Amino acid sequence: QKEVEQDPGPLSVPEGAIVSLNCTYSNSAFQYFMWYRQYSRKGPELLMYTYSSGNKEDGRFTAQVDKSSKYISLFIRDSQPSDSATYLCAMTAPPIYGGSQGNLIFGKGTKLSVKP
Amino acid sequence: NAGVTQTPKFRILKIGQSMTLQCTQDMNHNYMYWYRQDPGMGLKLIYYSVGAGITDKGEVPNGYNVSRSTTEDFPLRLELAAPSQTSVYFCASSYRTSGGQETQYFGPGTRLLVL
């Protein structure tokens, strides 16, 4: 089993739809969870950052972590064509819990297309 | 702040040639990383550095070398380029709190084609 699993899509939705993007993971030591957005031919940029379990909201974006199920989600409300990008989940464990230096584990990314 | 900059943006190499991918950050971050991204394969860590003079291997280091003589610069060297090294290369830098919280900032990438 890979450490982080993410459905590559592609996912196509109409403008205004609610989008749900998900990742599952196997390492229970992961405590920091991130979502990066990557536009075509650009570098990834940090979108959301959460620590441990719970929800975090930022405008139209909500990140959700369920550590008991080893499952994280990113919800996008009122999706816009400008949200069309690849979304990568990433996670890491503090070194004290066995996380190694420099080891931010990424999912493979889900390609999202929002149609006008 | 320019953030993380990478040069060149695109390069074509012949098999067996060598080149250096440049990466510079102006955020005074201690941690720097090199990733490669192949279609549908996500980001794979090549090398990383926790500070000037300190580097270590990541998941896919074979065929690459790095050095870190300053906080700002982290060049990636390809010796004897092979078609398998055709990829998009991203440099990143980060700061890390004592509790392990970290945010990585990525450069725009270098597209490399080895023929």
Side-chain angles (χ1 to χ4, degrees):
Chain A
Q1 183 186 9
K2 290 184 168 49
E3 270 198 297
V4 178
E5 300 266 15
Q6 184 176 11
D7 187 336
L11 181 62
S12 182
V13 301
E15 183 176 354
I18 296 174
V19 176
S20 173
L21 304 166
N22 312 294
C23 287
T24 59
Y25 62 94
S26 58
N27 188 348
S28 58
F30 286 146
Q31 290 199 2
Y32 299 102
F33 304 92
M34 287 140 275
W35 286 95
Y36 281 81
R37 178 175 61 195
Q38 186 177 20
Y39 290 114
S40 181
R41 294 183 173 267
K42 300 288 186 184
E45 58 176 337
L46 183 66
L47 190 61
M48 296 283 286
Y49 186 108
T50 54
Y51 170 71
S52 196
S53 285
N55 292 357
K56 184 175 181 179
E57 190 173 320
D58 184 1
R60 296 184 295 109
F61 298 89
T62 299
Q64 194 172 77
V65 176
D66 182 347
K67 289 193 73 180
S68 62
S69 301
K70 298 191 181 69
Y71 189 88
I72 68 170
S73 300
L74 178 70
F75 298 98
I76 307 174
R77 290 184 300 279
D78 188 25
S79 56
Q80 303 295 309
S82 58
D83 295 328
S84 298
T86 296
Y87 291 80
L88 299 103
C89 63
M91 49 199 78
T92 188
I96 192 172
Y97 293 110
S100 58
Q101 296 268 36
N103 221 3
L104 191 65
I105 308 299
F106 284 88
K108 292 183 177 181
T110 299
K111 188 172 184 179
L112 171 67
S113 177
V114 182
K115 303 294 186 186
Chain B
N1 284 352
V4 180
T5 56
Q6 292 182 239
T7 57
K9 289 184 179 179
F10 176 67
R11 181 79 181 266
I12 299 175
L13 277 183
K14 293 182 179 178
I15 294 172
Q17 285 186 322
S18 301
M19 77 164 291
T20 299
L21 283 67
Q22 301 291 345
C23 175
T24 301
Q25 54 95 6
D26 62 359
M27 297 174 281
N28 201 33
H29 288 164
N30 283 334
Y31 294 84
M32 295 190 74
Y33 310 85
W34 274 106
Y35 293 91
R36 60 178 288 172
Q37 187 176 40
D38 301 310
M41 297 302 292
L43 288 157
K44 293 192 181 295
L45 183 65
I46 305 171
Y47 270 96
Y48 66 96
S49 169
V50 301
I54 306 170
T55 63
D56 206 348
K57 296 177 181 178
E59 183 183 357
V60 289
N62 291 344
Y64 307 94
N65 275 302
V66 294
S67 59
R68 183 99 182 268
S69 57
T70 67
T71 298
E72 295 78 20
D73 301 307
F74 190 40
L76 177 72
R77 177 83 178 162
L78 276 71
E79 307 281 2
L80 298 173
S84 60
Q85 293 178 304
T86 293
S87 189
V88 181
Y89 292 85
F90 289 102
C91 178
S93 73
S94 75
Y95 64 87
R96 193 178 292 185
T97 68
S98 57
Q101 182 180 342
E102 176 183 7
T103 300
Q104 291 193 14
Y105 297 85
F106 285 80
T110 294
R111 293 182 174 273
L112 177 66
L113 178 60
V114 182
L115 298 174

